[in-house]
Amino acid sequence: MIAEALAGTRIFITGSTGFLGTALVERLLRCVPRCQLVLLIRPGRRSGPAQRAKREIFRNDAFDRLRAELGGEAAFQALVDARVETVAGDVSRDGLGLDDAGRAALAAADLVVHSAASVSFDSPLDSAVEVNLLGPSRIAGAIRAAGGGPHFVTVSTCYVAGSRRGSALEEPVDASPFYVEVDWRAEVAAARRLRADADAQSRLPAQLARFRKAAQRELGAAGGPLLSEKTEQLRRRSVDDQLVEAGRSRAASVGYPDAYAFTKALAEKALAETKGDLPVTIVRPSIIESALLEPRPGWIRGFRMAEPVIISYARGLLKEFPGVPEGIVDVIPVDLVVAAIIDVAAGSPPPGSGPPAVLQVASGSANPLRYRRLVDLVSAWFAENPLYDRRGQPISVSPWTFPGRGRVQAQLRRTLKTVTVAERALSALPLRGRRADVAADLEQTREQAERAMGYVVLYGAYAECEAVYGVSRLLERWDRLDAADQATFAFDPRVIDWSRYLSDVHLPSVVEHARVRTAPGRAVEDRSVRLRRQVLHPDRHFAAFDLENTLVASNVVASYSWLASRNLRGADRARFVARALAEAPGLLALDRRDRSDFLRSFYRRYQGASAAVLTEESYEHASAYILRRAFPAGLRRVREHRRAGHRTVLITGALDFIIEPLRPLFDDVVCAGARRGRRGPVHGELTAAPPTGESRAQALFDYAADQGFDPAEGVAYADSTSDLPMLEAVGFPVATNPEARLAALARKRGWLVENFEPAPGAPKPLPLARPATSAMRNP
């Protein structure tokens, strides 16, 4: 009996925070009641291994069944405390980064199961090398250094067989006649050197200028700190992208679909050479997917390999995908893999002096799922259970074809080119509010096309794979089990009914975890209502508002034009309008480059004007122009926050005398201040940096500190990417009448978007005042 064989053993496990590792921990705790578990967990930045285990492992719904069987949370926690120990470590470090307690725990282990891996198919090559290639050898070295000699079970993948056709047997990776001899030590050195070279290249002046320009294109005038942060993100991403492409190219050059399979194959070779007398079993699953039965049908953690493609197809984003219709998609439910690992752990270890034993856990040779059958089942299921779009309409799935990868990639490249041209054209237009949704939709379409291209690049080779993975040793082990163990630890792939598994188990689980619309009538407004309820909740501390294009359809140029045109008539007035129109493109360009520089430059036009008269005329300006251009819903929102008990603050780059009439609307005001002379004329200079960009965020932080408020409980309303620092400073940002860039960012980040409209039928006065005596000099 498996449970009896493992009774009293200490099992040291890596990768327990992952999909397979979580399932393994759950099954051992539930079905092997007298074993002890030691979990190697990499410490987080702010949490140790015990905290990570509690948060990332034991709160997972995989343990709901065990909780129910034990009678509740208290009994479950008592079981975990009694049977689970955590130690800090990292498989990407030599010696695993173990302290004395960790080394002692490893030395006392009767069994080590290594399931940690960089499972992403597009990992940078050096990351895959450090974790996937060197991880098993590091663990074997740490076991020897600790003085232990337990059975070492390491999880690999069937795809170490490479991109081949025909049988792939349960044998050492280099025993195949198709194996290409590669020096794994040279590959490690080359991957590390590639990282250093790419990083150095990314720091050259021309490259840094390119990253800065890309950051400005995405964020606009968001301010120095945010642009710097984005520039550095783009630099690091560029280095990672080069390493991803290097891994993909290197893997393809020696016959592997990607860096994941390539580094796993080299890991098996390296472990065989470095294990010494350690008894080793290599378990090779195929594509691991949702559970067939344990801990419950359909249990899954995160999106696996097939789910992104399935959901993209169901949403109408991916209308075809490369693949061989008669080819085999080798899928295996996670609970079958876990059961096979436990059976291996309970059995006799292989001789330490010999090569590692190999066990493949796959379905292709014993119970094949053909690609065409998979497509037919998926298409039929979504025809009966369609997803719904943003407007609540059902999405019809298209007939699936089986083109080559080249054709699909060419189609996606054409789509990306068209969308990119349209995006650039729209970015030059001053779109905001609902009109900006067009640009946001285009960006979303581009991202979806890029994602689809990524799926084709990442998974196309797997869909076209025609290898058949032998499982003769797996079936021999199954036949040796008694009926009780077969019932508790099922791993026979022949029991899978693919129609039932896909239609009743896997697809419903995929849809549930994808959080997509599965019924009509669930409109976009539902989410907006929920977010709106959050921002108006009494628990919020304060609400900060921008002014221009957030609460009023105006700006500093319009306010100046109104005041400056007060004493102009006839030809002077016409010349003023003509000059304003001629200057508009340059002013817009300066504003987009740096909002603070624009304001400083523009406010010099007030030099010499009477401050007293400006303040007086600002009231007429407010009543004759500003309030007529106001958004009633925006002003109502200010009052709603005040009724909810929130402190309201206007934070604007507008000058103090311009907003003086608006002060009664808010509890507090932070604005730009104009320097005045002793006798009252305005100097045209500011008393301090205008509250824009990062200085606006700093003004918000200072305000919150002065009032004793928590910014995480604050709300901020703004319309432009130049306001990103303020929006990101609070817990509840609201993109209000957003420009195109901000509309796209808000949608991506899940922020509330409010489109406040002018009052229906309200006059829309031009920013020109009726002639009168003015404080402004003739321009």
Side-chain angles (χ1 to χ4, degrees):
M1 296 285 287
I2 290 176
E4 281 72 13
L6 291 174
T9 59
R10 287 176 59 84
I11 306 175
F12 191 98
I13 300 174
T14 73
S16 56
T17 59
F19 176 43
L20 179 61
T22 297
L24 176 62
V25 170
E26 189 277 337
R27 186 76 77 88
L28 287 169
L29 289 178
R30 181 165 51 84
C31 299
V32 186
R34 287 182 289 161
C35 69
Q36 300 292 122
L37 307 183
V38 180
L39 310 182
L40 178 80
I41 299 176
R42 185 178 66 249
R45 290 183 178 178
R46 296 185 177 89
S47 57
Q51 290 81 8
R52 283 197 65 197
K54 182 177 181 179
R55 182 178 65 248
E56 300 178 35
I57 303 174
F58 298 116
R59 286 182 183 172
N60 189 276
D61 61 355
F63 296 90
D64 288 352
R65 176 176 174 179
L66 181 56
R67 279 188 180 88
E69 291 178 0
L70 293 171
E73 180 64 30
F76 172 73
Q77 191 58 53
L79 174 75
V80 171
D81 292 343
R83 294 182 54 195
V84 178
E85 175 187 350
T86 60
V87 296
D90 185 349
V91 298
S92 68
R93 295 176 56 188
D94 290 338
L96 307 183
L98 295 173
D99 57 16
D100 290 343
R103 284 188 286 272
L106 183 60
D110 302 297
L111 176 73
V112 175
V113 179
H114 173 49
S115 68
S118 176
V119 296
S120 172
F121 294 97
D122 59 346
S123 290
L125 177 58
D126 62 323
S127 298
V129 162
E130 296 297 338
V131 177
N132 295 343
L133 195 164
L134 293 175
S137 296
R138 285 192 177 111
I139 293 172
I143 291 172
R144 292 197 306 273
H151 183 190
F152 180 27
V153 180
T154 182
V155 179
S156 184
T157 174
C158 284
Y159 291 92
V160 297
S163 303
R164 68 161 77 170
R165 294 182 175 89
S167 298
L169 304 179
E170 296 167 295
E171 61 186 6
V173 65
D174 57 353
S176 167
F178 304 105
Y179 176 73
V180 176
E181 188 64 40
V182 175
D183 183 344
W184 62 269
R185 292 181 177 85
E187 296 299 322
V188 171
R192 290 170 174 170
R193 188 166 57 249
L194 278 171
R195 165 69 67 175
D197 291 347
D199 188 78
Q201 184 74 19
S202 73
R203 299 173 189 271
L204 295 177
Q207 292 296 315
L208 294 174
R210 181 170 66 87
F211 301 140
R212 182 74 174 185
K213 185 176 181 180
Q216 290 171 332
R217 189 163 54 245
E218 180 174 342
L219 298 182
L226 269 184
L227 286 173
S228 298
E229 181 182 354
K230 188 64 181 181
T231 300
E232 180 61 11
Q233 287 177 359
L234 292 173
R235 186 193 71 81
R236 291 176 180 174
R237 188 185 306 163
S238 173
V239 174
D240 284 344
D241 288 346
Q242 291 181 62
L243 270 295
V244 169
E245 184 56 37
R248 193 176 293 140
S249 300
R250 180 58 179 143
S253 73
V254 287
Y256 293 93
D258 53 35
Y260 173 73
F262 174 54
T263 53
K264 280 289 193 177
L266 293 182
E268 292 192 17
K269 184 76 183 299
L271 181 59
E273 292 181 13
T274 60
K275 73 178 187 65
D277 291 333
L278 192 68
V280 173
T281 298
I282 297 171
V283 177
R284 294 178 185 158
S286 56
I287 300 170
I288 306 176
E289 289 293 350
S290 66
L292 179 65
L293 292 171
E294 306 277 349
R296 61 174 173 79
W299 178 80
I300 194 169
R301 179 168 188 171
F303 261 23
R304 314 316 305 163
M305 175 178 164
E307 286 72 53
V309 177
I310 290 172
I311 290 298
S312 293
Y313 170 65
R315 296 176 65 185
L317 308 177
L318 198 61
K319 300 184 184 302
E320 56 185 5
F321 198 78
V324 179
E326 62 271 23
I328 295 171
V329 180
D330 205 312
V331 171
I332 193 76
V334 64
D335 46 337
L336 273 65
V337 180
V338 166
I341 291 172
I342 293 175
D343 178 61
V344 168
S348 299
S353 58
V358 176
L359 183 76
Q360 294 184 161
V361 189
S363 61
S365 59
N367 184 13
L369 172 63
R370 303 289 175 183
Y371 190 27
R372 180 176 291 281
R373 187 182 179 199
L374 169 65
V375 168
D376 289 344
L377 288 169
V378 170
S379 299
W381 195 85
F382 282 109
E384 292 184 10
N385 306 275
L387 303 186
Y388 289 79
D389 62 20
R390 296 175 64 223
R391 297 171 182 83
Q393 298 300 310
I395 301 172
S396 299
V397 291
S398 58
W400 195 270
T401 58
F402 300 90
R405 265 186 290 172
R407 176 180 145 189
V408 177
Q409 288 174 317
Q411 290 176 344
L412 290 171
R413 276 193 291 268
R414 286 194 295 271
T415 299
L416 283 169
K417 184 177 180 180
T418 302
V419 171
T420 301
V421 170
E423 273 190 306
R424 287 176 180 171
L426 283 177
S427 67
L429 301 176
L431 301 176
R432 66 174 58 253
R434 299 188 191 280
R435 298 180 186 87
D437 283 345
V438 177
D441 288 341
L442 270 177
E443 178 165 339
Q444 189 174 48
T445 300
R446 175 178 55 76
E447 290 176 349
Q448 290 166 348
E450 289 174 345
R451 198 176 303 125
M453 177 72 85
Y455 296 154
V456 172
V457 172
L458 289 176
Y459 306 138
Y462 287 89
E464 294 174 339
C465 181
E466 295 184 77
V468 180
Y469 305 110
V471 291
S472 57
R473 292 178 182 169
L474 181 78
L475 298 182
E476 288 173 5
R477 299 187 73 94
W478 174 255
D479 290 338
R480 289 200 297 267
L481 294 182
D482 60 27
D485 276 345
Q486 287 186 345
T488 306
F489 301 99
F491 56 80
D492 183 358
R494 295 169 297 188
V495 305
I496 305 170
D497 179 337
W498 291 116
S499 296
R500 193 193 72 79
Y501 172 71
L502 287 167
S503 300
D504 299 341
V505 176
H506 186 63
L507 292 176
S509 177
V510 168
V511 168
E512 177 187 354
H513 285 81
R515 297 180 181 178
V516 289
R517 277 191 191 83
T518 58
R522 293 178 56 192
V524 176
E525 285 69 28
D526 288 348
R527 186 169 179 278
S528 297
V529 168
R530 186 180 73 252
L531 292 174
R532 197 172 295 121
R533 188 165 53 248
Q534 291 175 359
V535 303
L536 291 170
H537 194 278
D539 287 349
R540 305 293 83 81
H541 292 179
F542 66 92
F545 292 85
D546 182 25
L547 178 64
E548 297 160 352
N549 294 310
T550 300
L551 297 176
V552 297
S554 182
N555 53 55
V556 298
V557 177
S559 293
Y560 171 81
S561 297
W562 195 94
L563 292 168
S565 62
R566 290 276 284 157
N567 67 335
L568 298 178
R569 294 173 176 81
D572 288 340
R573 194 177 182 88
R575 280 194 296 271
F576 175 83
V577 172
R579 191 175 73 178
L581 292 174
E583 290 176 336
L587 293 173
L588 180 62
L590 179 58
D591 187 26
R592 286 179 171 177
R593 282 198 302 273
D594 191 295
R595 179 72 173 169
S596 293
D597 287 349
F598 163 74
L599 291 179
R600 286 192 179 94
S601 173
F602 191 81
Y603 286 158
R604 293 193 182 100
R605 299 176 184 224
Y606 285 98
Q607 184 176 358
S610 167
V613 176
L614 280 173
T615 301
E616 180 181 343
E617 291 192 346
S618 69
Y619 283 88
E620 185 177 349
H621 167 253
S623 61
Y625 183 71
I626 291 292
L627 292 180
R628 292 186 181 189
R629 303 281 296 181
F631 304 125
L635 300 183
R636 282 197 300 271
R637 181 59 57 83
V638 177
R639 292 195 293 269
E640 287 178 287
H641 278 288
R642 298 185 79 167
R643 282 198 302 271
H646 308 156
R647 192 83 178 175
T648 58
V649 57
L650 176 67
I651 304 181
T652 175
L655 286 168
D656 45 8
F657 55 78
I658 295 293
I659 57 89
E660 185 64 28
L662 304 179
R663 286 183 181 273
L665 293 173
F666 305 91
D667 295 303
D668 302 287
V669 170
V670 178
C671 62
R675 287 187 60 208
R676 294 162 171 78
R678 292 181 180 178
R679 297 182 180 179
V682 174
H683 280 211
E685 299 174 1
L686 301 180
T687 58
T692 63
E694 65 272 19
S695 64
R696 181 169 293 190
Q698 188 59 54
L700 184 144
F701 283 129
D702 292 343
Y703 175 79
D706 290 343
Q707 298 288 336
F709 294 150
D710 180 1
E713 290 296 340
V715 184
Y717 294 78
D719 69 292
S720 168
T721 52
S722 66
D723 303 310
L724 268 177
M726 182 174 80
L727 291 170
E728 292 183 338
V730 298
F732 300 88
V734 184
T736 311
N737 304 324
E739 64 178 15
R741 285 194 190 106
L742 183 59
L745 283 170
R747 181 180 296 183
K748 191 183 303 182
R749 299 183 185 186
W751 292 351
L752 175 62
V753 176
E754 296 285 20
N755 292 305
F756 297 149
E757 301 285 352
K764 297 180 180 179
L766 294 173
L768 295 172
R770 286 181 295 181
T773 302
S774 175
M776 303 291 291
R777 299 177 304 164
N778 285 330

